[in-house]
Amino acid sequence: MKCSYFLILTFFLSAGCLCAQKVNAPIIKLTGDPALKNGNVSFTLLDKKTGELVAAHNPNLSLIPASSLKLLTCTYGLEVLRGDFRFKTQLEITGYVDANGILKGDLILHGFGDPTLGSEMTEGSSTIDQVLNSLVDAVIKAGIRSIDGYIYGDGSYFSNEGIYDSWLWNDIGNYYAAGIYGLNIYDNLYKLKFKQSMQGSSPDIATVYPNVPGLKFASEVLSAGPKSGDNAFIYGGPMQFNCKVRGSIPSGKGTFEIKGSMPDPPKVATWLLYEKLKEMKISSKGMKSSLSDPLPDGKRTVLKTHYSLPLENIVQQTLLKSINLNAEAILRYCGAKSLPNATIESAIKGFEAFLQQESDNATGFFLADGSGLSTLNSIPSYGFAKILRKNFQEKSISSILEASLPIAGISGTMKNYLINSPAKGKIRAKTGSMNRVRSFSGLLTGASGKEYVFTLIINNYSCSSVQIKSKVETFFDGLFKAS
């Protein structure tokens, strides 16, 4: 019997505690569902105020969390960097500017990991045009009329790995799996527009924005039904400029947009600056990128420093919109803070050490990235919930996290959950979703008004996405009423 593996711990600390029989019911119903016969569930419910374990099912079983991992990554960033931290990007020169306005040296766009430079996904960030205009203005104010050397893109603050080895091949060419570098631009994505055509035909590529030098496509995309949606995937990785596009887009008479990941973001950022300077009649020898060219030697002088939004704002949008790139930047910056050019491996080790400490040495944290995109991530619900509960006690972090969590029936990735339930608005959670994986971690305010911290991770269910959503809603509805 499935229930022979069931573990429930209930504490009767006051009249306000959960009734064991009531809280057992939704947990038993979920874990005993036939769709989970070959699956696994790890669930932990903690009293937010006292930290006491109220209820649990397989609390120490490590399962794939998917994107709910971002909640721990952002907590890590807030703990190490603080909410008022801002990423920076510097415009630098080597050499000097002579009396004729000639820079006898090189111009360098030096990134320090800002994932929001020219971003559309993180609202409130400076646009590409605003960033480029401010950089060109700084060049002009420095009296530079031409550049005797090159324009460099320096992304060396992070190692040049970009993506993670465990990310799936059918993900890494697409925007949500864009690599993170020391120098980033426009969410490290490009927009590929197709001219829609009749069903069964092959639509032509219309435009690519922004311009990525050398990027080429071999398209096998077909036009499907007019309501078929986006089923097209781009295949390509870092430094791969010949990409293949497969799948289908809706038929029609307009244009249809999909988004891919830039193969060399430092190069694209540098190219955009190079082109903008050319428009202003400021010439140079050309452009180079730190991913493919050695950086210039010599002392550098900073012409301008561009700052991102505060980390507090970035975290809020990262959790509400589940932005992978931002989460990876936070993880990598925490690693590079003590060791610039740190590798992915060292950044992950630092993250794991943080989680061990914050969870009072709980075991079972197996990490492979910071966004949850990797299927090699594995975390127990008990350790996850313990870390959250601890950080919900720290006012400077708690206020940011609580404001950032999607709200059931109202916002973010929880917007379509519990819309017609009395639990609407009473559950705040970062969700995680991938094939046969669903996870939820955050805060529950019960019917009694009491607050709890919880983590629910489900792996390998056998039903459809619609069906697992319904089962999870029934579970949360029952849990809310029982509290």
Side-chain angles (χ1 to χ4, degrees):
M1 293 288 291
K2 182 80 173 178
C3 290
S4 64
Y5 298 99
F6 193 80
L7 170 64
I8 284 286
L9 301 174
T10 306
F11 297 84
F12 296 92
L13 301 175
S14 68
C17 287
L18 293 178
C19 169
Q21 185 176 358
K22 287 183 178 181
V23 75
N24 284 4
I27 302 174
I28 292 173
K29 183 175 182 179
L30 177 65
T31 57
D33 193 287
L36 285 164
K37 178 181 179 181
N38 303 114
N40 279 308
V41 176
S42 182
F43 173 69
T44 297
L45 186 71
L46 302 177
D47 185 305
K48 182 186 176 186
K49 183 177 181 180
T50 66
E52 295 288 350
L53 177 63
V54 177
H57 176 81
N58 291 335
N60 295 312
L61 179 63
S62 297
L63 296 176
I64 300 170
S67 282
S68 62
L69 177 62
K70 291 183 180 71
L71 185 50
L72 295 182
T73 308
C74 288
T75 300
Y76 178 41
L78 291 171
E79 185 75 42
V80 173
L81 306 174
R82 300 302 174 185
D84 59 356
F85 166 80
R86 294 174 185 260
F87 291 96
K88 68 179 181 180
T89 305
Q90 293 182 169
L91 187 65
E92 304 166 344
I93 61 170
T94 62
Y96 63 95
V97 182
D98 71 12
N100 297 315
I102 301 173
L103 172 58
K104 297 292 185 177
D106 300 298
L107 183 69
I108 303 162
L109 185 58
H110 189 181
F112 291 84
D114 183 3
T116 69
L117 189 69
S119 172
E120 281 192 346
M121 295 174 68
T122 304
E123 294 176 18
S125 300
S126 300
T127 65
I128 283 185
D129 285 340
Q130 288 172 335
V131 169
L132 294 174
N133 287 336
S134 68
L135 294 175
V136 172
D137 285 346
V139 171
I140 293 172
K141 288 178 181 177
I144 299 172
R145 299 294 175 259
S146 67
I147 301 167
D148 198 34
Y150 290 90
I151 301 171
Y152 283 86
D154 182 354
S156 63
Y157 192 69
F158 294 167
S159 64
N160 63 8
E161 295 156 287
I163 65 170
Y164 296 73
D165 290 342
S166 58
W167 285 3
L168 300 178
W169 173 239
N170 63 337
D171 284 336
I172 62 175
N174 299 283
Y175 79 97
Y176 55 85
I180 184 69
Y181 299 89
L183 178 58
N184 310 288
I185 192 72
Y186 198 59
D187 303 302
N188 291 355
L189 64 83
Y190 59 83
K191 296 178 179 179
L192 183 64
K193 284 190 177 181
F194 286 87
K195 296 178 182 177
Q196 289 177 286
S197 56
M198 62 186 299
Q199 190 169 342
S201 65
S202 299
D204 293 328
I205 293 174
T207 60
V208 181
Y209 178 84
N211 180 31
V212 178
L215 189 62
K216 297 178 181 178
F217 300 95
S219 177
E220 297 178 1
V221 174
L222 295 175
S223 294
K227 296 182 180 180
S228 59
D230 181 0
N231 293 298
F233 291 86
I234 301 172
Y235 293 85
M239 303 303 290
Q240 295 181 353
F241 290 83
N242 293 313
C243 300
K244 180 163 283 189
V245 194
R246 294 175 178 168
S248 66
I249 64 170
S251 56
K253 296 183 179 180
T255 60
F256 189 83
E257 178 183 282
I258 65 174
K259 292 178 285 190
S261 60
M262 293 178 183
D264 185 348
K267 182 177 181 178
V268 176
T270 311
W271 170 261
L272 292 172
L273 178 58
Y274 170 76
E275 288 292 296
K276 197 72 174 179
L277 288 168
K278 278 178 62 179
E279 288 179 17
M280 302 303 294
K281 309 300 182 185
I282 300 175
S283 61
S284 66
K285 283 186 177 180
M287 53 153 288
K288 295 188 176 185
S289 162
S290 61
L291 295 190
S292 54
D293 302 293
L295 292 167
D297 296 325
K299 181 181 177 181
R300 299 185 186 182
T301 301
V302 178
L303 296 186
K304 180 179 178 59
T305 301
H306 172 90
Y307 290 99
S308 72
L309 295 169
L311 183 60
E312 173 181 356
N313 300 76
I314 294 173
V315 163
Q316 288 177 355
Q317 296 194 53
T318 299
L319 295 180
L320 281 171
K321 300 177 183 178
S322 203
I323 303 174
N324 291 334
L325 189 75
N326 290 2
E328 298 300 350
I330 292 169
L331 170 65
R332 297 296 304 281
Y333 194 96
C334 287
K337 183 182 178 185
S338 57
L339 181 64
N341 200 239
T343 63
I344 285 174
E345 182 181 4
S346 65
I348 291 293
K349 286 182 178 178
F351 188 24
E352 288 179 333
F354 168 80
L355 297 181
Q356 289 283 329
Q357 177 181 331
E358 292 292 291
S359 63
D360 297 325
N361 294 316
T363 58
F365 294 97
F366 306 103
L367 299 177
D369 66 17
S371 63
L373 194 59
S374 174
T375 57
L376 294 187
N377 291 309
S378 193
I379 293 178
S381 66
Y382 181 63
F384 200 134
K386 279 197 74 175
I387 294 169
L388 287 188
R389 190 263 162 185
K390 180 177 181 180
N391 281 278
F392 280 134
Q393 304 310 303
E394 297 186 28
K395 291 184 178 180
S396 61
I397 294 178
S398 177
S399 59
I400 298 172
L401 292 180
E402 291 191 31
S404 305
L405 289 171
I407 305 172
I410 297 174
S411 65
T413 52
M414 287 292 291
K415 185 176 182 179
N416 295 319
Y417 279 85
L418 300 165
I419 294 174
N420 299 312
S421 165
K424 176 182 178 180
K426 302 299 182 181
I427 295 174
R428 295 171 175 263
K430 178 69 192 81
T431 63
S433 175
M434 59 172 56
N435 190 27
R436 297 195 304 276
V437 175
R438 292 293 184 273
S439 65
F440 306 81
S441 196
L443 296 170
L444 162 71
T445 302
S448 67
K450 193 168 183 178
E451 291 185 302
Y452 303 88
V453 177
F454 73 90
T455 293
L456 170 68
I457 309 175
I458 306 172
N459 282 189
N460 294 318
Y461 54 85
S462 61
C463 57
S464 69
S465 296
V466 172
Q467 290 170 327
I468 193 65
K469 176 177 179 288
S470 177
K471 297 176 193 299
V472 168
E473 286 181 307
T474 299
F475 168 75
F476 280 134
D477 186 68
L479 200 62
F480 167 77
K481 291 174 181 177
S483 58

